[in-house]
Amino acid sequence: MSGTAAASAPVLQVEGGSLRFGQRVLWDELDLSVARGEFLAVLGANGSGKTSLLKAILGQLALSEGQIRVSGRPVRRGDRSIGYIPQQRLIPAGTPLRARDLIGLGIDGHRFGLPLPSRGKRERVDALLGEVGATSYADEPVGSLSGGEQQRLRVGQSLASDPVMLLCDEPLISLDLNHQRAVSELIDRRRRDDGTAVVFVTHDINPILPMVDRVLYLADGRFLTGTPDEVLRSEVLTALYKTPIEVIRAAGQVIVVGVPDQHGHHGPAGHEHGTEATA
Amino acid sequence: MTALAFDPSDLWARLFSFENYGEILALVQNSILAAAVLGVVGGLIGVFVMQRDMAFAVHGISELSFAGAAAALLFGVNVVVGSVVGSLIAALLIGGLGAKARDRNSITGVLMPFGLGLGILCLALYPGRSGNQFGLLTGQIVSVDSPQLGALVVISALVLVVLMLIWRPLSFDSLDSDVAAARGVPSGVLSVVFMVLLGLTVAVSVQIIGALLVLSLVVTPAAAALRVSASPVMVPLLSVTFGVVSAVGGILLALGGSLPISPYITTISFLIYLVCRVAGRRRVSRRVHA
């Protein structure tokens, strides 16, 4: 009985969620529901609380008010049904791990006890390496791989526990366009094939625009949800920010111009060259 | 023919002498055992010291360990206990205040001269023989008595067992702390446990090789191993081999002569590193051309 209840419950449910640090409100009365196989993009300027939302879902940060449920259960630390893909930080050369070991940590890296090799684990690692197209460099030291190759491995690592939801924290940052496409397609394929829900934090929606079902847009303690077409419009974002915002669509790209307090070059969905193109 | 002139053949005789070797060997069996165990533990923990960027912190811990040992000598307490207490205080301070590498380096830089100064003060006040005093800085294993050697072996064995038990989560945390935490690895607890293990290892090393030379058994073997392999199995195995060869080999070479053992250990360990560096360069260039 409880199994069917869990299966019909949304994968992620936030009810009346608020997060405050002292006087500062990151978001307030946030209601959000993500269904199986849904792709949610979380947009917003730096400091709008995107990463904090992920930490709250991971059970690492307690909400000020409200609650978050994953598959119908309250969040808890170390939930094996959530996969997590971090920002790409280059792994230094001289790290004593090969590509297959990085994926292996996703399988049993949390376990204490003697690390004895097993055939079952090896086969699982080989399958995951194949799934993310990393078989050709399976035995190379991770420190010798490119940022894009390392990020493919992190996707594989996050899939090791067969998660019902993937949390992605700017996983495409500092990757070139080819690798951005490759990595986002791996994530998209996973949710199409296995129904894994995706919560994808990003400052630039363009690389994932064709995949996104819904957008959560965070700004100055307020938020909006809807499809990209509903949210990414001049009048909608102008009302959200209470200051004139212009959304320009050109050549399949979305460019948001005029977002305040964005700490320089990282606009929510804009590029510097995009801004120039509109001038 | 003046007696003061430096005679190279005499130097050779002082560096390497194997007279009555068998009898001396029997006398220092326990020292060799302690050195071998330290080689194993130092080689293993060194792999994590390198990954967590803590070589400088190790040096800082060893100076406070020296201060603890010197204070113990002055107050007539067990020197191993003093050394362990000093080590643990330093390790927990550095671990607690220096989560980021930059903070850690500054707190280490602040603690290290303080510890060294404190130790020198204690030694200056100590009325005993000066031979013991320098031993804490540059090594004194042959003069460590049997009960203390026993304590060193027990501490090392304890470190070894706990390190094996936390090996996987510690590897995960050292690689990618955020992801490990998301996966349920208790990062905070693990960091504290690691610092305690490191403190204990350093305390043992101070007794055997001296506070100033701890890095040659806790960092050099792992650094050498990482030059020639990236396999999570081969790196620890090589590092342990290098550590044991340096520690035991140093004692065996030093036995017959009248010189301290530390220079033998540090030199072997350094030579191994040099060889690995050259071999490692060849490995890298082969991959580039392939």
Side-chain angles (χ1 to χ4, degrees), chain A residues 96 101 108-109 111 113 154 158 161, chain B residues 165 168-169 176 183-184 230 232 287:
Chain A
D101 305 313
D108 61 4
R111 280 208 206 123
R154 289 204 173 97
S158 75
S161 61
Chain B
L165 289 179
R168 268 180 301 186
D176 229 333
R183 286 274 152 176
R287 185 176 313 130

Side-chain angles (χ1 to χ4, degrees), chain B:
Chain B
M1 286 291 136
T2 73
L4 289 172
F6 189 74
D7 180 356
S9 67
D10 179 49
L11 171 68
W12 188 257
R14 287 191 66 195
L15 275 175
F16 303 104
S17 154
F18 298 97
E19 274 176 60
N20 306 324
Y21 199 74
E23 293 158 40
I24 302 172
L25 201 58
L27 286 174
V28 295
Q29 266 180 7
N30 290 340
S31 304
I32 291 173
L33 175 69
V37 175
L38 176 62
V40 173
V41 175
L44 287 179
I45 208 159
V47 176
F48 291 108
V49 169
M50 292 301 291
Q51 274 190 82
R52 297 171 83 92
D53 197 7
M54 284 207 167
F56 188 49
V58 168
H59 200 44
I61 295 170
S62 62
E63 305 315 348
L64 250 84
S65 183
F66 158 70
L73 205 59
L74 177 61
F75 295 112
V77 195
N78 186 322
V79 174
V80 173
V81 172
S83 169
V84 166
V85 170
S87 253
L88 289 183
I89 290 175
L92 292 174
L93 274 177
I94 292 172
L97 300 176
K100 294 191 185 124
R102 181 183 296 204
D103 296 345
R104 190 161 60 234
N105 284 343
S106 61
I107 191 78
T108 304
V110 168
L111 279 179
M112 196 167 70
F114 172 70
L116 204 50
L118 204 62
I120 289 170
L121 174 69
C122 293
L123 288 188
L125 294 173
Y126 176 63
R129 288 187 304 121
S130 61
N132 283 349
Q133 301 175 2
F134 271 110
L136 288 174
L137 282 172
T138 57
Q140 59 171 2
I141 186 168
V142 182
S143 65
V144 175
D145 61 27
S146 285
Q148 290 197 348
L149 274 181
L152 298 184
V153 172
V154 169
I155 294 172
S156 305
L158 178 78
V159 171
L160 196 62
V161 169
V162 177
L163 194 59
M164 293 315 285
L165 289 179
I166 65 171
W167 190 274
R168 268 180 301 186
L170 190 61
S171 300
F172 204 172
D173 184 65
S174 305
L175 172 76
D176 229 333
S177 194
D178 287 350
V179 184
R183 286 274 152 176
V185 171
S187 280
V189 177
L190 220 48
S191 303
V192 174
V193 172
F194 176 73
M195 289 314 283
V196 169
L197 296 183
L198 185 59
L200 291 173
T201 309
V202 168
V204 172
S205 314
V206 167
Q207 302 299 315
I208 291 178
I209 192 169
L212 295 178
L213 308 170
V214 166
L215 291 175
S216 70
L217 285 183
V218 176
V219 167
T220 315
L226 285 168
R227 283 274 151 194
V228 290
S229 175
S231 148
V233 178
M234 283 310 288
V235 167
L237 282 182
L238 284 174
S239 180
V240 162
T241 309
F242 297 160
V244 171
V245 167
S246 307
V248 174
I251 293 183
L252 291 181
L253 283 181
L255 273 189
S258 55
L259 299 172
I261 62 157
S262 297
Y264 294 86
I265 296 182
T266 53
T267 304
I268 295 175
S269 148
F270 178 66
L271 288 178
I272 290 174
Y273 177 80
L274 277 188
V275 170
C276 286
R277 235 196 124 98
V278 172
R281 180 172 299 167
R282 218 174 263 160
R283 188 179 66 121
V284 170
S285 63
R286 196 168 56 227
R287 185 176 313 130
V288 171
H289 294 308

